Amino acid sequence: MKTVRQFSLCILCLILLSGCWDSRQLRDITIAKSAGLDLMEDGLYQSTLSSPVPSKREAPERTEVVSGLGHTVREARMALDNKVSERIDIARLRVIVIGRDLAEESLYNPIDVMYRDPRGSLGAKIAIFNGMAQDIISKDLPDKPRTSEFIADLLETAEENSIVENLNVQLICPIMFDPGQDMVIPLMELNEEDESSLVGNALFNGEKMTGTLSPEDSVLLNLMKNVRGRNTFLTEKVSEENAETEEFITLLVREADRNLKVDVNHAAKSVTAEVNLTMKVKVIEYPKDELHDPANVAMLNERLGRAFTAEAEQIFETLQEANCDALGIGRRVIAFHNQFWRENDWNEVYPDITIKPNVTVEIISHGIIN
């Protein structure tokens, strides 16, 4: 009985005296919400962090932006500790922006520190900036006090519209090291009005950026990757080439089904990929109207199928020029034609393979007017 009481007392003490071994007082840390990483001309890495400054007596919310240089990303981040009074905490990072020069050199080098740090924010969004990442991290935004919130909200909206894929620091890691698939990461820049904007996606071969893709092409690419957000809009020209006036139609994709088939000819050492995409769409805007006539609807279905197929062919040409296997065709070769995979270098084979897209469109709704 005495042993039971002593054991119960020990358990009670453990419960009452237990605490968080890794707890940190808020007054002792600077919380970083967004980070930018750049490669400088002299080969040094530059790390730029933005952290919120607590408002006092209802003063306007402010942010603190600091930058540090180093021979490694870790050293650059350590240099930041000498510029702030508290220790920097990156556990709550919302976004990481990589400068284009660094992305073209290597994407893994700047984010390796995130994987090694137990407090690294693996859920942070990641984007490439067409320029120096420092420019967008340190930019003052009139409508939002925090750059991190603006970029994160911008990327989330683009995900809902199927322009970019839902990716973060953790999710890109397996793709980066997958020999049969390549990354496609959001691309941002400052426009002529000096406003931050999303301009499409950056294409990668392994860990290096090798090309870009426009927002319009990015939507169709994501559909061919079986990636679709809540709202997927497409605008396409449907008038004939010799028509006096151009006609455009805006569609909302209701359903999309992608089928990918890969064949390998071992004797000819050639690979053929067939990408079949079937879309059921709703007409959002078509000024010419006349959608009450089944013949006009059938005509539009046929024209849209041809137009999107031609656009898909251009997209695959861009992907092959960048040596970016965004659809993961190489994964099919690894799984079903492993001998061919082992005997050939996919980086040399992929740019010359044959990719045959075929897009079929079916209009299933055309509004409430007719």
Side-chain angles (χ1 to χ4, degrees), residues 285-299:
E285 182 177 353
Y286 181 51
K288 190 177 179 179
D289 206 0
E290 299 180 0
L291 295 176
H292 60 280
D293 187 349
N296 288 331
V297 174
M299 177 269 295

Side-chain angles (χ1 to χ4, degrees), residues 14-252:
L14 289 174
I15 294 174
L16 295 177
L17 298 178
S18 63
C20 298
W21 65 271
D22 62 343
S23 63
R24 297 184 180 185
Q25 297 297 323
L26 186 61
R27 64 175 179 270
D28 297 330
I29 61 175
T30 294
I31 299 175
K33 301 295 287 185
S34 58
L37 296 167
D38 292 300
L39 181 64
M40 310 303 288
E41 293 181 356
D42 54 6
L44 294 178
Y45 293 99
Q46 177 177 263
S47 178
T48 304
L49 295 181
S50 174
S51 61
V53 178
S55 59
K56 295 180 180 180
R57 299 180 181 179
E58 299 182 358
E61 189 173 14
R62 299 179 295 111
T63 58
E64 180 183 15
V65 179
V66 291
S67 296
L69 294 173
H71 293 90
T72 65
V73 175
R74 172 74 71 172
E75 184 182 28
R77 204 180 81 182
M78 291 172 60
L80 298 175
D81 290 328
N82 300 327
K83 298 184 178 183
V84 296
S85 57
E86 302 88 8
R87 186 168 183 80
I88 296 175
D89 185 2
I90 63 170
R92 294 172 179 82
L93 273 178
R94 291 198 67 188
V95 293
I96 299 177
V97 182
I98 310 296
R100 179 163 182 165
D101 289 343
L102 182 52
E104 291 178 345
E105 179 73 19
S106 171
L107 183 65
Y108 180 72
N109 289 341
I111 63 175
D112 173 65
V113 65
M114 300 292 296
Y115 300 126
R116 296 177 182 273
D117 191 340
R119 298 186 64 84
S121 179
L122 300 182
K125 299 287 185 183
I126 187 166
I128 309 300
F129 185 72
N130 193 13
M132 297 288 290
Q134 179 191 23
D135 295 340
I136 190 172
I137 297 298
S138 59
K139 185 172 179 55
D140 293 329
L141 301 173
D143 55 340
K144 289 201 174 185
R146 299 180 186 177
T147 304
S148 58
E149 292 183 357
F150 170 77
I151 299 177
D153 292 345
L154 184 67
L155 295 178
E156 289 175 0
T157 301
E159 291 168 7
E160 292 182 357
N161 293 333
S162 304
I163 300 174
V164 304
E165 192 172 352
N166 183 6
L167 294 175
N168 54 37
V169 175
Q170 181 176 8
L171 293 177
I172 68 170
C173 186
I175 305 176
M176 191 185 314
F177 293 102
D178 190 337
Q181 186 177 4
D182 289 311
M183 301 179 294
V184 179
I185 297 179
L187 178 65
M188 301 183 65
E189 69 176 26
L190 295 177
N191 58 25
E192 296 179 354
E193 289 75 26
D194 200 36
E195 298 172 338
S196 304
S197 60
L198 184 74
V199 293
N201 281 280
L203 306 177
F204 280 78
N205 174 247
E207 61 186 66
K208 296 184 178 182
M209 177 180 169
T210 53
T212 62
L213 201 64
S214 69
E216 296 78 15
D217 289 342
S218 296
V219 175
L220 188 55
L221 173 62
N222 280 326
L223 289 173
M224 291 187 290
K225 292 178 63 179
N226 261 346
V227 174
R228 185 163 67 94
R230 185 169 56 184
N231 301 315
T232 305
F233 294 97
L234 293 167
T235 298
E236 191 59 62
K237 178 182 175 182
V238 291
S239 58
E240 294 293 343
E241 294 183 1
N242 299 327
E244 295 181 358
T245 58
E246 293 184 335
E247 299 174 9
F248 290 86
I249 188 171
T250 298
L251 311 168
L252 173 63

